[in-house]
């Protein structure tokens, strides 16, 4: 049979607040590509930014783009050079495909490749669609006991795994996580799975902090209305946990300029501050303190080589990312799904879209 004339419903952003479900033509996969019937796609903060403003950070849309990058699917058809996957295999889709040729790719830090093609980062189409074509080496087979919803959550979980690795989280580590959004909560689960002892989390939402507690967080601190008194917050963190080995910033709020101050205050000498969240461009930070106390400030840009680890942790039951799914929609309801994810009143944590339901 041939797929070449099939219709593929795709959720396309034509500009700011202009989301449409368009039918596109579906072609056969070539080379190392596999054609996937999409399973689930999660909505992330960057998707919401493209939807609202047609831009996110340093990337701006200049033509219509399919949205979505937290996806899973089932192999329908393999290109002629595909070796490891076969029709029927269910996979988690790692959305960024680097050049695989440059110095950085060869060094294994392919997330930093200058020639990266990443789903739903302009101009590359994302995978919130019925069908999607992707290279097999960025499709990771899911064990039978892992669902397609869990498969879609491997993307933010990979961010959490990478952030914990960057912070050298391990047996007996004490970790401060600033921000209890999906990323911060996945960092919590990952840090615990990696053997962390105490985890302290901050947020400005009482609901999210309550959820963090139910997920095993040892201490929570509400930073609401505290931005003028960060020294005090640093002291509070010190009081509940005198030795923070790694502080992982996952709030990305503009007030994380000052949240920064607190990690640096509370992180032990020789510890790490890991920057996952994206705040203002030039935050004011006590850099000399970092130098004096040999606190390593580490960036995080997505992840590299983390999907196999994330899948293993979910399959073994050590991490249960699906507890973060608060809402589910079908593809044609995508705009509603985005509204839900965007609205502060919806109580949404992770909104999931079923592409072929
Ligand atoms: P989110 O917006 O859902 O979570 C952020 C949380 O921080 C919210 O719960 C919010 O209430 C809380 N917050 C706001 N101000 C705060 C403050 N002053 N102190 C403590 N908490 C505060 O976002 P998310 O999806 O969890 O992502 C977190 C951040 O990570 C975002 O900035 C996102 O852009 C970034 N991110 C980075 C990468 C990367 O590769 N570095 C990947 C994914 C996401
Ligand atoms: Zn490269």
């Amino acid at each position: 049979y041939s797929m070449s004339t099939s219709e593929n419903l795709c959720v396309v952003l034509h500009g700011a607040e202009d989301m449409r479900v368009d039918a596109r033509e579906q072609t056969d996969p070539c080379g190392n590509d596999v054609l996937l019937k999409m399973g689930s796609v999660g909505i992330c903060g960057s998707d919401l930014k493209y939807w609202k403003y047609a831009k996110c950070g340093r990337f701006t849309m200049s033509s219509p783009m399919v949205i979505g990058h937290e996806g899973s699917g089932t192999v329908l058809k393999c290109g002629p050079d595909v070796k490891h996957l076969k029709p029927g295999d269910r996979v988690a889709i790692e959305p960024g495909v680097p050049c695989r040729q440059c110095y950085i790719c060869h060094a294994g830090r392919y997330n930093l490749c200058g020639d990266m093609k990443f789903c739903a980062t302009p101009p590359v189409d994302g995978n919130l669609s019925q069908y999607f074509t992707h290279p097999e080496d960025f499709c990771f087979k899911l064990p039978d006991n892992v669902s397609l919803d869990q498969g879609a959550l491997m993307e933010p979980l990979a961010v959490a795994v990478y952030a914990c690795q960057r912070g050298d989280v391990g047996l007996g580590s004490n970790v401060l996580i600033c921000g209890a959004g999906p990323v911060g909560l996945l960092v919590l689960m990952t840090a615990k799975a990696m053997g962390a002892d105490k985890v302290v989390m901050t947020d400005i939402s009482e609901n999210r902090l309550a959820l963090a507690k139910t997920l095993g967080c040892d201490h929570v601190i509400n930073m609401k209305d505290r931005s003028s008194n960060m020294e005090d917050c640093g002291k509070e963190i010190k009081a509940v946990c005198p030795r923070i080995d790694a502080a992982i910033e996952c709030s990305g709020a503009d007030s994380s300029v000052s949240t920064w101050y607190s990690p640096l205050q509370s992180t032990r000498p020789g510890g790490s501050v890991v920057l996952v969240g994206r705040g203002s461009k030039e935050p004011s930070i006590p850099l000399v303190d970092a130098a004096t106390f040999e606190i390593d400030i580490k960036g995080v840009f997505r992840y590299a080589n983390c999907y196999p680890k994330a899948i293993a942790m979910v399959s073994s039951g050590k991490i249960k990312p699906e507890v973060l799914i608060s809402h589910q929609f079908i593809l044609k309801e995508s705009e509603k799904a985005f509204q839900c994810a965007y609205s502060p009143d919806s109580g949404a944590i992770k909104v999931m879209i079923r592409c072929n339901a």
Side-chain angles (χ1 to χ4, degrees):
Y1 79 120
S2 171
M3 291 291 304
S4 48
T5 53
S6 290
E7 157 184 284
N8 177 18
L9 293 181
C10 302
V11 178
V12 182
L13 295 182
H14 287 257
E17 295 196 70
D18 184 2
M19 176 186 285
R20 308 179 204 169
V21 179
D22 293 346
R24 290 188 174 187
E25 200 185 308
Q26 184 56 60
T27 54
D28 279 349
C30 38
N32 288 89
D33 289 349
V34 292
L35 173 64
L36 302 167
K37 181 180 184 184
M38 289 300 295
S40 303
V41 172
I43 301 176
C44 139
S46 64
D47 297 321
L48 295 173
K49 290 226 169 83
Y50 287 119
W51 174 53
K52 278 279 155 191
Y53 313 109
K55 62 179 186 182
C56 177
R58 62 194 153 101
F59 301 102
T60 303
M61 280 173 50
S62 56
S63 54
M65 176 180 83
V66 182
I67 195 71
H69 64 273
E70 300 181 352
S72 63
T74 306
V75 177
L76 265 188
K77 202 166 190 185
C78 295
D81 303 326
V82 169
K83 292 187 183 69
H84 305 293
L85 292 173
K86 56 179 191 319
D89 285 345
R90 296 172 321 118
V91 299
I93 303 165
E94 179 168 344
V97 180
C99 79
R100 310 181 186 85
Q101 309 289 320
C102 71
Y103 177 85
I104 289 171
C105 283
H106 286 173
R109 299 186 70 174
Y110 63 84
N111 56 319
L112 304 175
C113 174
D115 193 15
M116 173 71 88
K117 292 181 176 60
F118 197 94
C119 289
T121 294
V124 181
D125 281 328
N127 52 25
L128 184 50
S129 49
Q130 289 178 304
Y131 303 99
F132 183 67
T133 303
H134 205 61
E136 69 162 335
D137 54 330
F138 286 86
C139 293
F140 293 85
K141 190 166 152 54
L142 296 172
D144 289 343
N145 71 342
V146 176
S147 70
L148 287 169
D149 277 353
Q150 289 173 319
L153 286 161
M154 296 306 168
E155 205 280 341
L157 181 55
V159 174
V161 169
Y162 187 67
C164 288
Q165 288 181 181
R166 295 280 287 159
D168 294 322
V169 174
L171 205 60
S173 297
N174 295 326
V175 183
L176 168 67
I177 303 169
C178 305
V183 171
L185 293 168
L186 288 167
V187 170
L188 161 67
M189 296 182 214
T190 304
K192 285 288 186 179
M194 285 171 132
D197 182 19
K198 296 283 181 286
V199 175
V200 182
M201 290 184 79
T202 66
D203 203 288
I204 52 171
S205 147
E206 208 46 64
N207 289 343
R208 290 194 163 187
L209 290 173
L211 178 58
K213 280 229 115 176
T214 70
L215 297 176
C217 181
D218 299 277
H219 297 286
V220 297
I221 300 177
N222 194 331
M223 304 294 269
K224 200 168 184 192
D225 309 322
R226 301 280 293 272
S227 48
S228 56
N229 197 353
M230 296 311 294
E231 207 163 328
D232 200 41
C233 290
K235 277 187 195 140
E236 186 168 341
I237 292 163
K238 268 252 181 305
V240 296
C241 186
R243 193 198 86 225
I244 296 286
D245 301 294
I248 305 184
E249 206 303 303
C250 303
S251 81
D254 235 25
S255 54
S256 75
V257 178
S258 39
T259 318
W260 256 78
Y261 182 62
S262 171
L264 282 181
Q265 276 242 317
S266 43
T267 307
R268 70 158 164 84
S272 305
V273 169
V274 180
L275 299 178
V276 183
R278 296 286 180 260
S280 47
K281 207 167 178 191
E282 293 185 16
S284 149
I285 54 147
L287 193 58
V288 175
D289 284 356
T292 308
F293 294 102
E294 295 193 12
I295 288 172
D296 294 329
I297 299 170
K298 295 185 186 172
V300 164
F301 187 63
R302 302 168 179 156
Y303 37 75
N305 305 304
C306 291
Y307 266 64
K309 295 173 189 178
I311 291 170
M313 295 314 278
V314 175
S315 180
S316 66
K318 293 188 185 77
I319 295 179
K320 300 185 194 315
E322 68 281 4
V323 301
L324 300 183
I325 300 175
S326 55
H327 296 80
Q328 274 167 335
F329 294 89
I330 60 170
L331 189 93
K332 284 183 177 163
E333 300 171 325
S334 288
E335 181 142 25
K336 226 166 95 186
F338 273 63
Q339 258 147 12
C340 172
Y342 188 77
S343 156
D345 304 326
S346 68
I349 305 284
K350 181 55 74 180
V351 175
M352 198 57 79
I353 298 174
R354 296 252 167 97
C355 299
N356 277 286

